[in-house]
Amino acid sequence: MNWQPQAEYLEQLRIVFAQSLSADNALRGNATHTLEEARRQHSDLNNYLVHIFVNPTTDSEIHLRASAGLMLKNNVLTQYDTPVFSSDVLAYVKEHVVLGLTQPISIIRGIAGSIVSALVAKGGFKNWPEILPKLMSMAEINSPVVQEGALGALSKLFEDSAQQLDSDPDGQQALSFMMPKFLELARAGSPRVRSQSIQCLNHFILRMSQSLFAHIDTFLATLFSLAYDVDPDVRRNICTAFVMLLDVREDKLLPHLQGIVDYTLHCMGDEDEQVALEACEFLLGLAEHEKLAPQVIAFLPKIIPVLLRCMVYSEMDIMIYNGRNEDDAEMADKLSDIKPTHAKSRKHQAASNANAREDSKSSGNGNHMNGDADDEGDEDDNDDDDLGIDLSDWNLRKCSAAALDILASNYREKILEYTIPSLREKIVSPEWPVREAAILAYGAIAEGCVEGLSSFWPEVSPFFIQSLSDPMAPVRQISCWTLGRYGNWICFRSAEIGYEREFIPVLQGLLKCCLDNNKKVQEAGCSGFANFTEQAGGLLIPYLVHILRTFTLCFQKYQTKNLTILYDAVQTLVDKVGYAMGSKEYIDLLLPPLIEKWQGLEDDNTDLFPLLECLSSVTASLGEQFAPFAPPVFQRAMTILHKNLIQDQNASQDPAVEAPDKDFIVTTLDLLDGLVQGLGVHATELINACEFPLLEMVLVCMRDPVNEVRQSAFALIGDMAINTFQCLKPYIPSIMAELIQHVDSGDPSCSAVCNNATWAAGEIALQMGAEMRPFVPALVPKLIELLVRCEQLEQTILENAGITIGRLGLSCPELIAPNLEMFSAPWCQALRIIGDTGEKETAFMGMCKIVAANPTGLNHTLDKFVEAIGLYEEPTPELIHMFHTILQGYKGMLSNNWEMQVMSKLQPDLRQLLAQRYNV
């Protein structure tokens, strides 16, 4: 393409890009607007962008050129399939962007590689077949700059498009040519070229690419030969290769495992922390590897001392802490310290839960355990949060603690002989970093070695409790976390030794840390208390006044970030002991600070999210005791929901209107759900008196494209069916039309929506009785499909599907009975061992009616149904009568075959129970 830029427009663009980098907000905003206009109006804008990007003028324009390159990459990703990228424009961009890989400025080479990768990701290798030969040719040029640019682009290509390449025959052929080339380059050239070559190879390990594994012995030999390379990036990529190979080809590492372990242990002392961290990742993977357990046990004497050493704060961290003002409670949080808050939707558990209607937050368990004074306490760190790990700041110390935790879980008491002697000395060290690391280590081994630690616990527990008052904030902080991990053990021991020795001192210490003058300690104390509450439950009831008074002071003292942790602690407390908090004294301590915070936040403040979640639990737990506070809370929740739904509707019709944050909708639905649960039938008065139509708004939410919104909407529908059915009944046809669509397991990302919709259908069926008949033909096949797919679905979905089928059978058994043979086996499997609750009772009563309507439907699964009856521990008298009738009927039908076809297939204790209870 013979395209040439217009000099005047080119200069204008350069000026605009320069302004887009200005410190002046107004100038930067105008420049951004101008660039957006150019994107829409100039069909050859991308030609100008690549021209500016690859043609240097002055050294001062590096950032200007980089901005042009980044805009080009974003245009490729967002506009590749539009007319903007005509064949001529694409040809020009592809031809010239490669020049960026040859330039001496590393940032330009890096962005050029990203643009190349974006072009391939959007268009595929088939639309740019010459790119791989071109890059490989450049990688072999005797110029470090060109080699680094080409290899950097190849690495980005492989990172983004390895699957596309490795699954195509032409791509596999290209890889078969390239792999030996990378191995050659890894042994020669500049350190950067060696590092990038290994990095390119690493992209294909986890894919188990045969193009690489055909040369695996040479690959390993290359890694071993470069193990002590002077370049840290080479050493880091070697460690990364070992981590990945351990995952997919441990057989190739096994002959060399001792040497690799020694190497990674050596690298954990590397001056470059990224090398040390990657080496520790290998030990973390090794700790998890079940097939290599005998080898790991042999390495424990080597591994554990190094892990313990690496759990001590680095010298740089110690310098920072020693120079920091520990009393920062009155300092406002920095914006960078406050993580975005996101809602957590309700997921209804089935009858397997001790409380069949208990709600769990599907995004986390509220266990904000912090194992590091720099942790952010993010509850969404999933499994890592149990070890106090925040992946946003993953480092050697945390990785070492995680490895020790997994070793303790997998090898239990075997690790104690290598940990306890060292920790006994370190926990009393005069050096605070050493003490702190020892307490962290005790916390790391808590869950795996708690039984083996029983003999040591009386010796060390006083140190933990004393450490809650340590002069250094990091020690107080880690002590909160560690004691939280031993909460179950402390509660268990206290029943034997008395609560004065450990339970009360730990509780007092954690509450004291909640009021600490250091914000990190406040956070750890609050999180530690929440975890302790999970274990202690009702044991905390005698101390509720002291706990709630502490919370009141916390509400007065905490900044924004820690208020989120405090809300979670309150929520955990009311979830566990809310049944005992109905007295006026408790309510007067708990509710006023919550209501004050609620009133002090604007309707569009995202700080409402954790507060709304907390209030939803409080209202559900306190029940009618919340009634005096309910009307204004209900009215405001309805106002927020209505406002956001209107805004969402306007945004869908007018692009100029900003769409609302759907978390406002999720959290207000959950708060309304909590009010309905707590107030019961009395919530009807609030619903009827409100100016906004609740059910019509919930129907809108049931159609929302965001899963969490629908999930919370179905949870509210189910609880309204239980508590305020008369409000729901006029809308049943519309509700069922939406609900039935979502009793669908086709999309795994919607499993929580499916779960809540299935549960809500069961609650509606219980209330509707025979009036449910019109919906049975459409609903039952979907429920049966859920049960039939039992191996692919979560247990709660299966349980709720089984319960809903049973409840439909209470009033419409003849409509379901013809399908009994299709679902009887998975139905029995889903409900055979869930707890004895009202939900289970109604499900079995309905199933008995279905069986009575089609006895032959159990011809092939009668033994499974009889087993399910036998496993029902405490059926009600009515249910015992139904079971007795059915069992006696089948026994009579089968006569002499009853023993062989049914009873002989059951366990002896179950046969005995059935004989005693039902005389069969």
Side-chain angles (χ1 to χ4, degrees), residues 420-434:
I420 294 300
S422 174
L423 295 181
R424 274 175 162 167
E425 295 179 9
K426 292 179 177 179
I427 201 170
V428 294
S429 170
E431 300 294 328
W432 74 260
V434 178

Side-chain angles (χ1 to χ4, degrees), residues 101 106 108-117 135-136 138-139 144-160 182 185 192-193 195-200 203:
L101 300 173
S106 61
I108 299 299
R109 295 198 303 271
I111 293 172
S114 296
I115 297 170
V116 169
S117 181
L135 293 175
M136 285 307 302
M138 292 170 62
V145 167
V146 176
Q147 286 181 304
E148 290 172 19
L151 287 168
L154 284 164
S155 181
K156 288 185 174 69
L157 271 176
F158 297 155
E159 182 179 359
D160 296 337
F182 290 135
L185 290 167
R192 181 67 177 155
V193 168
S195 171
Q196 289 176 309
S197 300
I198 298 171
Q199 190 174 45
C200 286
H203 286 302

Side-chain angles (χ1 to χ4, degrees), residues 317-379:
D317 288 333
I318 294 170
M319 288 176 59
I320 292 172
Y321 283 122
N322 286 337
R324 180 182 289 176
N325 178 13
E326 288 208 334
D327 294 344
D328 61 355
E330 295 184 5
M331 296 172 60
D333 292 337
K334 298 176 183 175
L335 289 177
S336 58
D337 292 337
I338 304 173
K339 287 193 173 183
T341 310
H342 302 288
K344 298 173 288 183
S345 298
R346 291 177 177 268
K347 182 177 180 181
H348 273 269
Q349 305 299 315
S352 58
N353 204 316
N355 177 355
R357 292 184 57 260
E358 182 178 352
D359 296 327
S360 69
K361 299 300 183 182
S362 61
S363 299
N365 61 6
N367 182 14
H368 302 267
M369 293 299 98
N370 260 337
D372 196 319
D374 279 339
D375 282 352
E376 300 296 337
D378 186 357
E379 71 230 7

Side-chain angles (χ1 to χ4, degrees), residues 54-125:
V54 301
N55 287 285
T57 52
T58 64
D59 291 342
S60 62
E61 286 196 345
I62 292 174
H63 294 297
L64 182 154
R65 294 171 57 202
S67 295
L70 290 172
M71 184 175 181
L72 174 59
K73 183 193 80 169
N74 291 332
N75 288 353
V76 171
L77 293 173
T78 58
Q79 297 182 322
Y80 185 89
D81 296 320
T82 69
V84 169
F85 278 98
S86 64
S87 57
D88 287 342
V89 170
L90 271 175
Y92 185 85
V93 169
K94 290 176 179 178
E95 177 185 354
H96 289 80
V97 74
V98 177
L99 299 177
L101 300 173
T102 67
Q103 300 205 3
I105 303 166
S106 61
I107 189 173
I108 299 299
R109 295 198 303 271
I111 293 172
S114 296
I115 297 170
V116 169
S117 181
L119 287 164
V120 172
K122 299 300 291 186
F125 287 99

Side-chain angles (χ1 to χ4, degrees), residues 562-609:
N562 283 352
L563 277 174
T564 301
I565 313 299
L566 179 59
Y567 293 142
D568 183 79
V570 172
Q571 188 175 342
T572 304
L573 182 67
V574 297
D575 285 344
K576 289 296 178 180
V577 297
Y579 61 87
M581 297 175 66
S583 76
K584 186 176 185 301
E585 182 181 18
Y586 296 150
I587 290 173
D588 287 347
L589 286 169
L590 174 63
L591 290 182
L594 283 172
I595 299 299
E596 182 181 352
K597 294 295 181 185
W598 159 262
Q599 293 172 341
L601 293 172
E602 297 294 330
D603 288 352
D604 58 354
N605 191 326
T606 57
D607 290 341
L608 275 173
F609 298 158

